[in-house]
Amino acid sequence: MSPMNYIENRTYDEIKVGDSATLIRTLKPQDIQLFAIMSGDVNPAHVDPEYAKSSMFREVIAHGMWGGALISTVLGTQFPGPGTIYLDQTLHFSRPVGLGDIITVTLTATRKFDHNHHIIFDCLCTNQDGQKVIGGTAEVLAPTEKIKRERIEMPEVTLLDREARYQHLLARTKGMPPALMAVVHPCDAESLRGVVTAAEAGLIVPILVGPAAKIRAIAREHGFDLASMEIIDVAHSHDAAAQAVALVRAGRAEALMKGSLHTDELMEEVVATGTGLRTERRISHVFIADVPTYPRALLITDAAINIEPTLDDKVHIVQNAIDLAHILGVPEPKVAILAAVEMVTAKMRATIDASALCKMADRGQITGGILDGPLAFDNAVSIVAAKTKGIRSAVAGRADILVVPDLESGNMLAKQLEYLADALLAGVVVGASVPIVLTSRADSAEARSASASQATHVSAKKSLPAGASSSSGSSPCAP
């Protein structure tokens, strides 16, 4: 058995005064987070980088007892090891431990007591510069019997820091001017909270379109400050949708945001002939999903607009998503056309559409990305699954964009990722003359402001011209 696979103690009789043991650890951000979660100690000096900058140490530091826990690790696992009973500990903290510091823990036996098998250890923790950070003594009851056990593999811990992922999503628009956004009928607390959150973050300059008295009453009830926001008073939600679209057509707004009205009511005005916001492109929706277990952002389309898209519709849906990926900084996105199986069969229209879309990319009818399909979901996001099935593809296991067969499958996929995999979703409608934030009435303020940030990104980049792709050249279908 390899020494790494078992844990073995040193008995009282085996330890001599002057014997020592060491442990080396590097402080990582997750160490601080895990210790804070376990202990409940959320002192801002440890967990709030902004506060830490103004503290005496000018940076986030480890909890003092993180170093103390390392001393306990040595005592309990190697010196003396299993069977040790902790009796007493004194610690003196000389200097803080910062992120990236390499801490060496050294325990030295200084006294032994034969009548009760107690041992006193000198405890010293130093950093990578040899500076003392913690010192002290520990007294233990040492084991008298030899113990050797197989090392227990502990479960892997994954930290789901939703707030950090949310801030990362908003950071994409850093330095960009806020979009002038017409917000349609924000007449419930959550939709209005999303607007206020996005405005306070500098993502949008909102124009609230709806019944002014109702909007102000909700703001008073929940303590929202609307002093800096323009409110256009209209009688009801249908008028709000029409007025918001008119603001865009008049050049007074650069984007739309859905409030508490039904999607159909807003989109009826968006697609209206002569007065709407249509272009030569078909309008489609794209979810931008930050999934903790996937190494990159996933774009999922279309899960909100096109119910049963035809092949021609899917050409626009794919191109819209590719253009959005370019805006988000993916120069050549990998596009997985999803179906239930990988083989083309006449019994499943999704497989035929997928193969046709790939061939259209070969012919330059879809540009700017690498397409492959049909691919089942597992093969699109897992290299292992793709290799198991013998699929050779530049897209399989590495997809940036997932193109679903229809709205029902796309909506279920996005919601499953959100509610079962803790995905953070933002959504934006593309293909119209301006980006549209089309949130669900069940969405939180966080989701609404995240979606607003993506619309601001699209508006600032101005990379989706009416009826034209933002990219050029042909894109091969994946092998």
Side-chain angles (χ1 to χ4, degrees), residues 152-186:
I152 301 300
E153 291 292 331
M154 299 305 295
E156 184 177 342
V157 176
T158 301
L159 294 176
L160 303 179
D161 193 340
R162 189 175 182 87
E163 177 62 22
R165 293 188 288 124
Y166 170 65
Q167 293 300 329
H168 176 72
L169 192 62
L170 299 189
R172 288 177 176 160
T173 57
K174 187 175 182 179
M176 295 181 181
L180 193 59
M181 185 171 290
V183 185
V184 186
H185 203 257

Side-chain angles (χ1 to χ4, degrees), residues 202-324:
L203 301 172
I204 64 173
V205 175
I207 303 173
L208 309 181
V209 186
K214 187 172 184 179
I215 292 171
R216 290 193 175 98
I218 294 169
R220 284 193 300 271
E221 180 183 354
H222 295 276
F224 302 146
D225 183 6
L226 307 183
S228 63
M229 300 183 193
E230 180 182 358
I231 301 177
I232 295 180
D233 186 26
V234 298
H236 46 69
S237 56
H238 185 78
D239 285 348
Q243 182 63 40
V245 169
L247 289 174
V248 172
R249 290 179 65 87
R252 288 200 57 206
E254 303 167 300
L256 287 179
M257 184 176 187
K258 174 178 172 283
S260 57
L261 74 171
H262 286 279
T263 297
D264 288 350
E265 197 170 7
L266 173 60
M267 295 309 297
E268 182 180 346
E269 293 297 327
V270 170
V271 302
T273 302
T275 59
L277 305 176
R278 301 189 74 162
T279 68
E280 294 177 22
R281 286 277 186 87
R282 185 169 186 86
I283 293 172
S284 60
H285 181 272
V286 183
F287 271 122
I288 303 151
D290 181 320
V291 187
T293 53
Y294 197 68
R296 62 187 66 85
L298 268 176
L299 274 59
I300 302 170
T301 190
D302 179 340
I305 296 292
N306 295 282
I307 299 174
E308 293 185 7
T310 65
L311 176 60
D312 288 340
D313 295 337
K314 289 179 181 179
V315 173
H316 293 265
I317 290 170
V318 171
Q319 192 66 67
N320 284 343
I322 290 173
D323 288 350
L324 178 58

Side-chain angles (χ1 to χ4, degrees), residues 417-463:
L417 290 175
E418 180 179 20
Y419 287 95
L420 297 180
D422 197 40
L424 179 62
L425 296 184
V428 62
V429 173
V430 289
S433 60
V434 296
I436 304 169
V437 178
L438 196 64
T439 53
S440 165
R441 283 169 292 166
D443 281 345
S444 65
E446 174 192 69
R448 293 171 190 270
S449 57
S451 297
S453 74
Q454 303 314 300
T456 295
H457 201 153
V458 174
S459 178
K461 292 290 186 177
K462 300 184 183 300
S463 296

